[in-house]
Amino acid sequence: MEDVRRRKMSLVDKDNGKVKVTNKYLDIPDYQILVVGSESSSDCVLYHIQVVGTQQSMTIKKRFREVREFHEHFVALLNLGIEPPPRHFLSFNQDANFIEKRKKEMNVYFHKLTKFPTLVLDDRFLQFFQIRELETEEMLRNREIKELKKVLIRNEKANKALSAQKDTSKQRRTTGDIGVTQRTIRTKSETGRMYQGQPGHLNVPGWGM
């Protein structure tokens, strides 16, 4: 089973100047993102980021600069009020205390990100943290089955609606045929009475009754 949170989202739509708000419940994957280590080279520090998905976890490596660019080019544009990890005057510092401080700042930032459904459902978020790679074949099959069930349900509803339309149309045609038959009988009856008693009139059974 996937570890998910059921969240209520308000969808705002404007139509002809009127604002329409629709509440919708979504299943949001409960991702956990945590800086668990780091490694230094001559020109940069790579932070080891553990990404815990719905069924398994993996560790990716990112530079602090990549995290800042991710925020500036994506998160900041959504105006969610999330502040990025702060820059420091010494952008490249391999001091152990400095690195530990930065890890904590990044963890606070990542924790805030995972609380916003708008973010965790976006392909750019999934791509940056390589979450797509966490999805096992079993999960993909489960999702395919869910999507197939949705399609089958939609088709079943469409078939029922079409069948109901056909039944209604058939009932209307049957009612119309009965009405035509009744009018024909009345016409024959009236015609028979009109000619009854006239010379040359033949008494035809069923006419003039």
Side-chain angles (χ1 to χ4, degrees), residues 84-152:
R87 283 196 176 99
H88 297 280
F89 291 107
L90 296 175
S91 58
F92 177 57
N93 191 330
Q94 298 196 29
D95 177 72
N97 292 330
F98 173 81
I99 292 176
E100 286 302 317
K101 180 181 180 181
R102 177 155 280 179
K103 287 180 184 177
K104 293 179 180 179
E105 293 170 346
M106 293 173 68
N107 282 334
V108 171
Y109 174 70
F110 293 151
H111 179 72
K112 291 178 180 178
L113 293 183
T114 59
K115 300 305 176 184
F116 284 85
T118 307
L119 290 174
V120 299
L121 295 176
D122 195 286
D123 285 336
R124 288 166 290 186
F125 177 91
L126 302 177
Q127 181 178 359
F128 182 79
F129 291 104
Q130 301 177 26
I131 292 175
R132 292 296 189 196
E133 299 179 19
L134 293 175
E135 297 182 340
T136 62
E137 291 184 3
E138 181 181 358
M139 290 173 57
L140 292 174
R141 284 197 299 270
N142 289 340
R143 290 191 177 185
E144 288 176 357
I145 291 173
K146 289 181 181 179
E147 292 300 321
L148 178 60
K149 287 182 178 179
K150 290 180 181 179
V151 172
L152 292 175

Side-chain angles (χ1 to χ4, degrees), residues 154-196:
R154 287 197 297 266
N155 289 343
E156 183 179 357
K157 290 182 178 179
N159 289 334
K160 287 183 178 179
L162 181 60
S163 178
Q165 290 179 354
K166 289 182 177 179
D167 291 342
T168 302
S169 178
K170 183 178 180 181
Q171 184 178 4
R172 289 176 178 173
R173 287 198 302 268
T174 302
T175 303
D177 292 343
I178 294 175
V180 171
T181 302
Q182 291 176 343
R183 287 195 299 272
T184 302
I185 293 174
R186 285 198 301 270
T187 302
K188 289 182 177 180
S189 177
E190 292 170 357
T191 303
R193 284 197 298 269
M194 182 176 63
Y195 285 100
Q196 238 177 2

Side-chain angles (χ1 to χ4, degrees), residues 75-88:
V75 180
L77 303 179
L78 300 177
N79 296 319
L80 299 174
I82 302 176
E83 294 295 329
R87 283 196 176 99
H88 297 280

Side-chain angles (χ1 to χ4, degrees), residues 7-140:
R7 297 288 300 275
K8 180 179 180 181
M9 294 186 66
S10 295
L11 306 178
V12 181
D13 186 26
K14 292 184 178 180
D15 184 17
N16 296 327
K18 296 181 180 180
V19 178
K20 181 180 179 181
V21 179
T22 304
N23 293 323
K24 185 177 182 180
Y25 287 89
L26 298 175
D27 290 332
I28 310 300
D30 194 8
Y31 300 122
Q32 297 180 24
I33 303 173
L34 186 67
V35 181
V36 295
S38 64
E39 62 181 78
S40 301
S41 64
S42 59
D43 61 345
C44 71
V45 177
L46 286 174
Y47 293 92
H48 299 176
I49 303 172
Q50 185 181 52
V51 183
V52 181
T54 52
Q55 291 189 352
Q56 60 180 347
S57 64
M58 68 182 298
T59 301
I60 62 176
K61 298 179 181 180
K62 296 288 185 182
R63 298 175 63 173
F64 178 77
R65 185 181 69 183
E66 293 179 277
V67 176
R68 287 285 309 196
E69 290 175 351
F70 168 74
H71 179 86
E72 293 169 2
H73 297 158
F74 170 47
V75 180
L77 303 179
L78 300 177
N79 296 319
L80 299 174
I82 302 176
E83 294 295 329
R87 283 196 176 99
H88 297 280
F89 291 107
L90 296 175
S91 58
F92 177 57
N93 191 330
Q94 298 196 29
D95 177 72
N97 292 330
F98 173 81
I99 292 176
E100 286 302 317
K101 180 181 180 181
R102 177 155 280 179
K103 287 180 184 177
K104 293 179 180 179
E105 293 170 346
M106 293 173 68
N107 282 334
V108 171
Y109 174 70
F110 293 151
H111 179 72
K112 291 178 180 178
L113 293 183
T114 59
K115 300 305 176 184
F116 284 85
T118 307
L119 290 174
V120 299
L121 295 176
D122 195 286
D123 285 336
R124 288 166 290 186
F125 177 91
L126 302 177
Q127 181 178 359
F128 182 79
F129 291 104
Q130 301 177 26
I131 292 175
R132 292 296 189 196
E133 299 179 19
L134 293 175
E135 297 182 340
T136 62
E137 291 184 3
E138 181 181 358
M139 290 173 57
L140 292 174

